[in-house]
């Protein structure tokens, strides 16, 4: 099956993260261990030889996905009526990694061509074909229930204003919830624009970068930072191959240095506590 022929470069960006997770699963000590990613890589008919994810990118993509999974699973455990959203889901198989999340309560959102491919290749979950910048797509998702909202690899493709508008719409829609996404500092954006491993997406980056994880609290006062997750400081680094393990352990001593790598930002919101 070949789905990629009609994809725009923006949509094609999903192949880099998909491939990184497939390569992680092939490692002796996978960080995420997503076997489904390898299956999709084999079925999708894309020339993955065009992509050059280096080991650090593979480790970071796998670990950030794992962090988003952990937050989504914990949220559902605390909120049995929760729904889950994955914005810019691509061909990620997050739902399969969340066995306690019923497929009926999960919504994967991506642009129409990707959504179409997703329906064919990734089982489970509701698929919404939409540009997240458009108003209206949230109408397909039930309001009134707590929501955990993941966005893995999407933020870099939105401008700051588009991101602010998106978060506001999400906060207007759901009474409470959590948002978790990977973020980039301004320095990391500059690096991504020039590094070989991310050359396939370099020209598509529109987000200017964000150095202060508390900045979104100024965008919307309903948002509260839960945790800035600096991947260099996460326990899974112990599973990294030796060279990268030592690099991240060194980086972990410095917040500034750790922030040059992958950052996952986790926020909560709750309409009931707006006045607190
Ligand atoms: C880097 S890929 C990440 C895909 C997936 N989350 C993953 O981790 O493999 C970015 C995804 O965001 C989607 N995307 C980019 N801009 C979008 C938008 N405005 N609305 C919906 N999806 C968008 C792309 O089509 C692509 O699937």
């Amino acid at each position: 099956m070949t789905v990629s022929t009609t994809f725009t470069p923006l949509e094609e960006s999903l192949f880099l993260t998909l491939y990184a997770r497939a390569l992680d699963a092939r490692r002796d000590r996978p960080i995420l261990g997503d076997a489904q990613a390898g299956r999709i890589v084999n079925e999708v008919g894309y020339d993955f030889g065009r992509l050059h994810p280096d080991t650090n990118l593979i480790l970071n993509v796998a670990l950030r996905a794992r962090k988003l999974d952990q937050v989504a699973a914990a949220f559902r455990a605390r909120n049995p009526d929760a729904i889950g959203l994955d914005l810019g889901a691509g061909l990620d198989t997050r739902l399969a990694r969340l066995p306690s999340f019923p497929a009926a309560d999960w919504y994967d959102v991506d642009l129409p061509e990707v959504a179409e491919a997703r329906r064919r290749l990734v089982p489970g979950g509701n698929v919404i074909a939409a540009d997240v910048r458009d108003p209206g797509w949230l109408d397909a998702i039930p309001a009134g229930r707590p929501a955990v909202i993941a966005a893995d690899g999407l933020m870099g493709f939105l401008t700051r204003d588009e991101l602010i508008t998106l978060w506001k719409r999400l906060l207007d829609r759901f009474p409470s919830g959590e948002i978790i996404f990977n973020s980039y500092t301004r320095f990391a954006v500059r690096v991504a624009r020039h590094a070989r491993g991310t050359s396939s997406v370099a020209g598509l980056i529109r987000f200017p970068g964000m150095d202060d994880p508390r900045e979104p609290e100024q965008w919307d006062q309903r948002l509260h930072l839960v945790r800035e997750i600096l991947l260099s400081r996460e326990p899974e680094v112990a599973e990294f191959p030796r060279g990268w393990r030592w690099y991240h352990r060194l980086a972990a001593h410095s917040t500034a240095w750790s922030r040059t790598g992958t950052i996952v930002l986790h926020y909560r919101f709750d309409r009931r506590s707006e006045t607190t």
Side-chain angles (χ1 to χ4, degrees):
M1 175 187 306
T2 303
V3 298
S4 52
T5 43
T6 54
F7 279 7
T8 64
L10 180 61
E11 292 160 340
E12 276 198 34
S13 68
L14 70 88
F15 291 120
L16 183 61
T17 41
L18 174 69
Y19 191 37
R21 286 188 297 272
L23 293 175
D24 166 68
R26 279 185 217 163
R27 294 179 57 248
D28 288 343
R29 298 171 84 184
I31 297 299
L32 186 67
D34 182 346
Q36 293 281 324
R39 173 187 62 78
I40 296 171
V41 160
N42 290 334
E43 287 179 9
V44 77
Y46 181 78
D47 174 15
F48 286 93
R50 292 155 62 177
L51 305 177
H52 308 283
D54 62 27
T55 303
N56 198 35
L57 186 112
I58 294 165
L59 295 167
N60 278 278
V61 167
L63 183 50
R64 81 187 195 204
R66 185 166 159 159
K67 294 294 134 183
L68 270 64
D69 292 357
Q70 286 170 352
V71 168
F75 188 81
R76 173 75 193 196
R78 291 196 311 277
N79 300 274
D81 59 337
I83 56 170
L85 279 70
D86 194 344
L87 309 183
L91 295 176
D92 189 5
T93 56
R94 186 175 316 283
L95 182 63
R97 302 194 300 267
L98 299 174
S100 59
F101 227 118
D105 293 338
W106 189 263
Y107 295 83
D108 289 299
V109 188
D110 210 301
L111 298 165
E113 295 285 339
V114 177
E116 166 62 23
R118 188 174 176 89
R119 287 191 182 106
R120 279 183 282 145
L121 285 159
V122 186
N126 306 281
V127 181
I128 298 181
D131 184 325
V132 294
R133 297 170 300 177
D134 292 341
W137 62 268
L138 272 163
D139 297 347
I141 302 176
R145 291 167 63 181
V148 60
I149 302 155
D152 196 348
L154 171 72
M155 177 181 184
F157 303 122
L158 303 179
T159 65
R160 186 171 172 277
D161 286 349
E162 287 167 349
L163 195 69
I164 293 172
T165 304
L166 172 61
W167 281 175
K168 181 173 164 28
R169 286 194 184 121
L170 290 162
L171 269 56
D172 287 346
R173 181 75 184 168
F174 304 108
S176 62
E178 294 184 7
I179 298 180
I180 177 128
F181 59 96
N182 66 303
S183 178
Y184 311 89
T185 61
R186 284 180 297 174
F187 174 80
V189 166
R190 279 203 300 278
V191 171
R193 285 202 168 110
H194 298 102
R196 184 165 186 258
T198 48
S199 59
S200 56
V201 294
L204 304 170
I205 298 171
R206 298 168 74 226
F207 189 71
M210 183 167 74
D211 292 342
D212 179 2
R214 293 212 171 263
E215 187 184 319
E217 293 178 340
Q218 311 303 318
W219 300 348
D220 194 307
Q221 295 195 346
R222 291 168 292 184
L223 274 178
H224 302 282
L225 179 68
V226 176
R227 190 157 86 96
E228 179 191 35
I229 304 170
L230 301 174
L231 292 196
S232 292
R233 292 181 173 170
E234 289 303 292
E236 290 89 347
V237 164
E239 305 295 316
F240 282 12
R242 192 165 55 181
W244 286 112
R245 186 165 70 235
W246 286 112
Y247 171 84
H248 285 283
R249 282 192 171 151
L250 264 181
H253 290 290
S254 153
T255 301
W257 189 0
S258 299
R259 281 184 177 149
T260 63
T262 302
I263 303 171
V264 170
L265 296 180
H266 179 188
Y267 299 86
R268 65 176 169 79
F269 60 95
D270 190 340
R271 222 177 265 162
R272 288 164 302 193
S273 65
E274 260 172 62
T275 51
T276 62

